[in-house]
Amino acid sequence: MRTLNSLTEHTVGELTDVGPKTVESFRVLEIETILDLLTHYPRRYIDRTEQRSIRDLKIGDEAMVLATVKRVQSRRTRNGKSLVEIDVFDGSSYLSCTFFNQGWRAKQLAVGTEAVFFGKLDSYRGKRQMASPVVDLVGDKTGRVIPVYPLSEKAGLSTWDISKFMQQALRRAGDFADPLPEAMRDELDLVGRTWAMHHIHAPESMGAMRAARKRLAFDELLRLQVVLVARKRRYEAEATGIRHVIESELVNEFHASLPFPLTRAQQRVIAEINEFLAGPHPMHLLLQGDVGSGKTVVAVTALLTAVAGGYQGALMAPTEVLAEQHALGVKALLADVTVPSQGGTLFEDRPLRVELLTGRATGTERKNIGAGLADGAVDIVIGTHALITDAVAFHKLGVAVIDEQHRFGVEQRAALRGKGDDPDVLVMTATPIPRTAAMTVYGDLDVAILDELPPGRTPIVTTWARGELEEQAAWKAVLEEVAQGRQAYVVCPLIEGSDKIQAASAVETYEELEGGHLQGLRLGLLHGQVPAKEREAVMNKFRAGEIDVLVATTVIEVGVDVPNATVIVIVNADRFGLAQLHQLRGRVGRGAMASRCYLLGDVVTPDGEERLGAMVRTTDGFELAEVDLGIRGEGTVMGTRQKGRNDLKLASLRTDLALVVAARKVAFEIVDPVEGLDAHPILEDEVRLLVDDDEAEFLFKS
Ligand code: ADP
Ligand code: MG
């Protein structure tokens, strides 16, 4: 029985007919061992049963034809681009295919070459043609389903070269050891490993390919889940956490001071958190909640619980602007809250001390805050990465909150946790992430969901304004709202490049509006280059209603909270990511008044079209997260977090929700029994081999 590990002991050079030149070609594709080769999966398949004959094609049809090149012509167009034009024949009729700026096609598609052409039939000057079709050389392959491998121009290997070597490797590998017991396989309706490996590379039918893919994708997800679940169980087994006392005068006082009752969702999540805080294990909880769902109150409640018991709380945000905004917000929330005296009547109640610590702090500030943190005089600190520098030491860190978790790495989270003696950790996402991603990226954490917005919010009406006329309507809306005593945001176009360039663009937008559409209104300007003091002044004025319209960059993306603002105009909206648009829109609709969002953008890419369309369609962050995953693919969702993603070659977080759920369930079934992974030596071996060291370290270190 062949283990994956043993396949790493053989190199592709050992295959028959693989000489040094081919070894070099494989190296370009990052294939060195036989395992690398066998897990170099086809990018797609050509299903010959789907093949059409050229004669039957109608203009506008998207189709695949198998044809032979009969004539090749290569020339330059008037503006200097290379144009390769070929005529192909499939026994029924002729077709012309054109390729711009792909001069190498002339050589690739020499007369007599047989290939599959996939594209849309159109007509150019009365001639039936496909412009830039996808081309797959099929050589002399005869199967009904032909694998097409990811190639690189430089490698100089053809897809059938790879296929040929693949067959040889499979033959020589023989039967594969299967990490899944047969009973589990049956229950999950999964095929065996050996069968799967053969049919992923040379499927008998598309159905067989899908069954093979399902099995191998499941294996990838299972390896990852085993690590995550094991880490989760390990966290839970640590009995060294702080048992916080959760009924406290301080928290009661805080809740009583709020101008609103907590939503049911907030109460539920706070109760969930309290249970973790009171327990003996350190909490590792991911709090998911849509924009405006009131995560801050929940986070502050947890921080105060720490303070009430004589501990300190810390909140870490990924940027200075965000940290500053959090500090302002939290200070405002806690303005009327005092810390009850601890030792009976002897001591006076004292005000709560909340400090901000970022890279911008002056030497003196840093020293003061540092001293306060070290001796316990500072109750709550809010800051950036500055919190995890070596110089910072806490007296007794009890609860750590990390905002926008996805922008931090595992190490940074660990560093903050390391500032205390097993403090409880709450991580928050500013925007929801899809379920598959939550389970895969944060699969070692518990999850709480804030699934209710505070009452009395009127849904924001979103308009995608295209063209001069519709844009006019957007500015008119701003004027109307301001005339009613409301306020507005204008978000400047996103410019690639430095902070400086971005700032310049903001200034430009500001000046244009001041002298144009928004003449006569009181405008304020905010961007990354505005010094902190001035920024605070501008924000204060906006909050106080002394500025009507805040022209800003994405510095306002998160945390800005002015309920009187009822309209937001996002210029060149197609430049922004979906999560960002959703966050920006979340700046309005924070009060009871009806709010509007205008997305300006004439020229958009297909992706942009999808993003803006989704924004108009829904205000549900969870739904938008799914759309975003669909557009951007998993790589981006995983962020810096999950190195184990290297092992996800077939599994897709977009489409494999059921598989993720199944893999997670099996992972618990494997990890939880006393013997744990020891009872599954093949799987253990594969996890060690394929899941990143950093990740797996947790699993084996005992
Ligand atoms: P987010 O989850 O986006 O961080 P915030 O914590 O900033 O949301 O809260 C959004 C707004 O809702 C703030 O103005 C906050 O004061 C308000 N808010 C929070 N909880 C409630 C509640 N229970 N009832 C009414 N308003 C609330
Ligand atoms: Mg927030």
Side-chain angles (χ1 to χ4, degrees):
M1 285 289 188
R2 199 56 85 161
T3 63
L4 298 190
N5 215 337
S6 71
L7 292 172
T8 63
E9 289 157 13
H10 298 278
T11 64
V12 284
E14 294 171 45
L15 292 171
T16 313
D17 293 339
V18 173
K21 198 161 150 267
T22 310
V23 167
E24 200 39 55
S25 298
F26 273 126
R27 204 188 308 276
V28 173
L29 295 171
E30 294 181 14
I31 296 171
E32 287 185 16
T33 70
I34 297 296
L35 181 65
D36 297 336
L37 179 63
L38 290 177
T39 54
H40 187 71
Y41 298 117
R43 177 167 43 111
R44 61 172 186 278
Y45 299 83
I46 298 169
D47 181 0
R48 283 201 168 158
T49 58
E50 291 290 302
Q51 201 172 300
R52 304 267 306 269
S53 72
I54 294 176
R55 192 177 45 203
D56 297 342
L57 294 184
K58 291 190 189 56
I59 303 296
D61 282 358
E62 249 196 9
M64 177 202 311
V65 299
L66 173 65
T68 309
V69 178
K70 292 294 183 189
R71 193 179 68 103
V72 183
Q73 206 186 25
S74 201
R75 61 188 168 92
R76 298 223 159 251
T77 62
R78 222 166 291 142
N79 47 25
K81 284 185 184 167
S82 89
L83 172 66
V84 175
E85 212 180 334
I86 63 168
D87 290 332
V88 303
F89 180 67
D90 75 342
S92 75
S93 187
Y94 276 90
L95 174 72
S96 152
C97 298
T98 55
F99 302 91
F100 278 98
N101 270 341
Q102 300 175 38
W104 50 274
R105 291 285 191 193
K107 221 155 123 204
Q108 182 202 33
L109 297 171
V111 172
T113 309
E114 195 185 24
V116 166
F117 299 86
F118 181 84
K120 192 168 171 178
L121 187 75
D122 57 32
S123 143
Y124 182 72
R125 293 191 176 153
K127 204 167 168 190
R128 285 147 61 86
Q129 70 156 30
M130 281 184 181
S132 302
V134 174
V135 177
D136 289 313
L137 301 176
V138 290
D140 53 0
K141 285 213 266 170
T142 50
R144 290 207 320 151
V145 180
I146 300 168
V148 180
Y149 287 95
L151 295 173
S152 92
E153 207 39 44
K154 271 191 296 183
L157 278 169
S158 71
T159 188
W160 71 77
D161 286 334
I162 294 185
S163 195
K164 201 175 64 198
F165 293 127
M166 204 66 84
Q167 289 313 310
Q168 191 193 144
L170 281 170
R171 216 169 35 241
R172 291 171 62 167
D175 278 346
F176 289 86
D178 200 316
L180 272 192
E182 200 168 335
M184 268 186 190
R185 252 166 28 213
D186 286 348
E187 195 186 322
L188 293 157
D189 196 20
L190 292 172
V191 299
R193 175 66 75 72
T194 306
W195 196 93
M197 285 303 272
H198 280 88
H199 284 265
I200 196 82
H201 289 296
E204 254 159 32
S205 65
M206 292 303 269
M209 180 278 288
R210 278 189 289 272
R213 182 197 167 278
K214 179 179 168 193
R215 170 59 210 268
L216 297 172
F218 177 87
D219 289 349
E220 293 175 355
L221 292 167
L222 179 63
R223 289 191 284 266
L224 200 52
Q225 285 299 335
V226 162
V227 172
L228 291 165
V229 164
R231 183 169 336 139
K232 179 169 160 33
R233 290 303 197 218
R234 169 181 294 279
Y235 286 155
E236 289 163 3
E238 284 168 19
T240 52
I242 304 161
R243 290 174 188 267
H244 292 275
V245 179
I246 48 189
E247 271 304 311
S248 72
E249 217 178 300
L250 188 59
V251 169
N252 291 341
E253 200 191 328
F254 168 55
H255 288 169
S257 78
L258 291 172
F260 44 71
L262 297 174
T263 63
R264 254 172 327 179
Q266 282 170 325
Q267 289 172 22
R268 176 176 46 76
V269 168
I270 287 173
E272 283 171 30
I273 291 176
N274 280 346
E275 203 160 306
F276 286 114
L277 291 181
H281 318 293
M283 169 172 82
H284 294 87
L285 182 72
L286 169 70
L287 175 58
Q288 280 224 68
D290 208 344
V291 187
S293 58
K295 291 186 289 292
T296 313
V297 170
V298 172
V300 171
T301 302
L303 294 172
L304 283 181
T305 298
V307 174
Y311 289 91
Q312 293 163 296
L315 191 165
M316 182 162 74
T319 66
E320 285 174 357
V321 175
L322 240 160
E324 283 162 21
Q325 279 156 11
H326 269 310
L328 275 175
V330 171
K331 279 181 187 166
L333 277 175
L334 296 176
D336 302 329
V337 176
T338 52
V339 184
S341 63
Q342 298 249 326
T345 49
L346 214 57
F347 303 95
E348 295 278 300
D349 288 4
R350 63 174 178 86
L352 198 70
R353 185 164 165 204
V354 180
E355 294 285 2
L356 169 71
L357 184 63
T358 70
R360 286 223 175 89
T362 63
T364 334
E365 282 168 344
R366 205 179 299 248
K367 229 165 106 194
N368 277 336
I369 298 169
L373 285 173
D375 70 7
V378 171
D379 298 299
I380 293 175
V381 68
I382 295 167
T384 53
H385 301 81
L387 294 180
I388 51 176
T389 51
D390 288 341
V392 175
F394 287 79
H395 175 57
K396 267 167 97 179
L397 179 62
V399 171
V401 178
I402 299 172
D403 196 19
E404 288 222 62
Q405 154 72 9
H406 66 281
R407 296 215 209 161
F408 291 104
V410 202
E411 311 79 32
Q412 288 163 322
R413 196 175 84 199
L416 185 59
R417 190 179 329 125
K419 293 289 180 188
D421 202 359
D422 282 329
D424 290 280
V425 177
L426 175 67
V427 305
M428 307 201 291
T429 56
T431 3
I433 50 176
R435 227 176 117 215
T436 47
M439 262 187 291
T440 310
V441 185
Y442 302 106
D444 53 347
L445 307 179
D446 287 296
V447 178
I449 297 183
L450 214 45
D451 52 3
E452 178 190 358
L453 293 181
R457 304 254 174 96
T458 331
I460 303 164
V461 176
T462 303
T463 309
W464 177 4
R466 300 197 230 200
E468 193 55 31
L469 264 175
E470 291 178 20
E471 191 185 324
Q472 294 288 351
W475 300 121
K476 200 167 144 247
V478 172
L479 295 170
E480 279 166 15
E481 291 294 317
V482 171
Q484 308 257 328
R486 310 282 169 249
Q487 289 162 285
Y489 298 99
V490 175
V491 182
C492 305
L494 193 64
I495 309 278
E496 296 285 323
S498 66
D499 227 25
K500 254 207 185 100
I501 298 175
Q502 178 66 55
S505 124
V507 172
E508 196 178 309
T509 308
Y510 175 89
E511 284 169 354
E512 263 173 42
L513 290 171
E514 196 184 32
H517 292 295
L518 301 184
Q519 206 162 18
L521 302 191
R522 296 169 299 173
L523 303 192
L525 175 64
L526 210 61
H527 55 70
Q529 298 261 299
V530 176
K533 277 265 162 352
E534 203 180 318
R535 187 148 72 205
E536 234 177 281
V538 172
M539 274 318 296
N540 284 338
K541 273 183 152 174
F542 189 62
R543 270 189 211 96
E546 291 159 22
I547 287 175
D548 301 315
V549 180
L550 190 60
V551 180
T553 58
T554 51
V555 298
I556 62 151
E557 186 181 333
V558 187
V560 170
D561 186 21
V562 179
N564 192 46
T566 51
V567 55
I568 183 165
V569 179
I570 304 175
V571 185
N572 284 8
D574 52 300
R575 289 270 188 135
F576 297 90
L578 198 45
Q580 213 167 16
L581 287 172
H582 182 56
Q583 275 297 329
L584 288 168
R585 177 169 60 183
R587 296 314 100 210
V588 298
R590 299 175 84 81
M593 287 150 315
S595 291
R596 295 184 262 184
C597 169
Y598 289 90
L599 309 169
L600 307 191
D602 292 333
V603 199
V604 296
T605 57
D607 281 0
E609 182 127 8
E610 220 175 308
R611 285 197 299 269
L612 299 192
M615 284 289 291
V616 170
R617 199 167 59 239
T618 181
T619 51
D620 180 344
F622 286 90
E623 196 179 327
L624 290 172
E626 298 287 346
V627 175
D628 201 27
L629 181 61
I631 298 174
R632 297 194 304 158
E634 31 275 320
T636 39
V637 183
M638 306 291 264
T640 56
R641 174 72 215 283
Q642 192 52 268
K643 294 176 184 146
R645 71 173 176 274
N646 300 337
D647 187 29
L648 294 189
K649 291 181 170 172
L650 289 169
S652 156
L653 298 186
R654 263 174 286 178
T655 51
D656 289 328
L657 174 62
L659 272 191
V660 174
V661 172
R664 187 160 177 83
K665 183 163 162 279
V666 171
F668 277 108
E669 285 166 14
I670 287 173
V671 170
D672 277 344
V674 192
E675 60 283 16
L677 209 49
D678 287 348
H680 303 267
I682 302 173
L683 181 60
E684 176 173 351
D685 192 42
E686 292 184 2
V687 170
R688 277 182 193 277
L689 179 67
L690 294 167
V691 182
D692 190 87
D693 289 349
D694 277 8
E695 297 287 331
E697 191 191 338
F698 287 83
L699 189 59
F700 305 111
K701 194 172 65 185
S702 56

